[in-house]
Amino acid sequence: MKLSMKEKKILYAFACPSHHNTVTRLKWLTALTVAPEAKRRMLGLARKVETEVNESWYEDFYHHLRMEMDEYRRLKRSLRVLKSYTDYEEDLYDEAV
């Protein structure tokens, strides 16, 4: 199953190791969502998880997703810290002018 980064972020926030509970949560979130575009995206994700992810290997999928998103957040935080301590962009601009 191919997931976009937005879908991965939604699953990171709302999924749990139980396939049935995750699908139920996503459907409840769809019902609570007001914006039509967000509602369409949430329902699409709920249907994708329900139909494309087999219950027998969902728990492995869930743990893999958690590890991937934890690493993504760690790298994003490291990049933010690196950018805050680096004046690299200003140096390039001064040399070009």
Side-chain angles (χ1 to χ4, degrees):
M1 174 171 61
K2 190 158 178 107
L3 296 170
S4 69
M5 187 52 73
K6 287 183 180 183
E7 290 173 332
K8 288 179 182 182
K9 287 178 180 180
I10 291 169
L11 286 174
Y12 183 77
F14 298 110
C16 69
S18 168
H19 182 264
H20 175 73
N21 291 345
T22 298
V23 172
T24 303
R25 277 185 193 171
L26 291 174
K27 287 181 179 178
W28 276 106
L29 285 168
T30 301
L32 294 172
T33 305
V34 178
E37 180 62 28
K39 186 178 281 265
R40 185 186 61 77
R41 186 176 294 131
M42 289 294 291
L43 184 59
L45 179 58
R47 288 180 179 161
K48 187 185 284 189
V49 170
E50 187 174 29
T51 59
E52 294 183 24
V53 180
N54 192 353
E55 272 189 69
S56 62
W57 60 269
Y58 172 78
E59 191 171 347
D60 294 334
F61 165 79
Y62 169 76
H63 290 297
H64 179 75
L65 176 75
R66 295 293 295 189
M67 287 186 336
E68 181 181 345
M69 291 305 289
D70 286 340
E71 183 67 14
Y72 170 78
R73 292 178 69 209
R74 188 188 67 73
L75 289 172
K76 195 170 182 179
R77 187 173 35 252
S78 297
L79 184 61
R80 196 176 325 119
V81 169
L82 181 66
K83 282 184 178 180
S84 70
Y85 290 117
T86 305
D87 296 332
Y88 186 68
E89 293 177 15
E90 294 176 15
D91 293 340
L92 283 178
Y93 180 75
D94 290 338
E95 292 175 11
V97 176

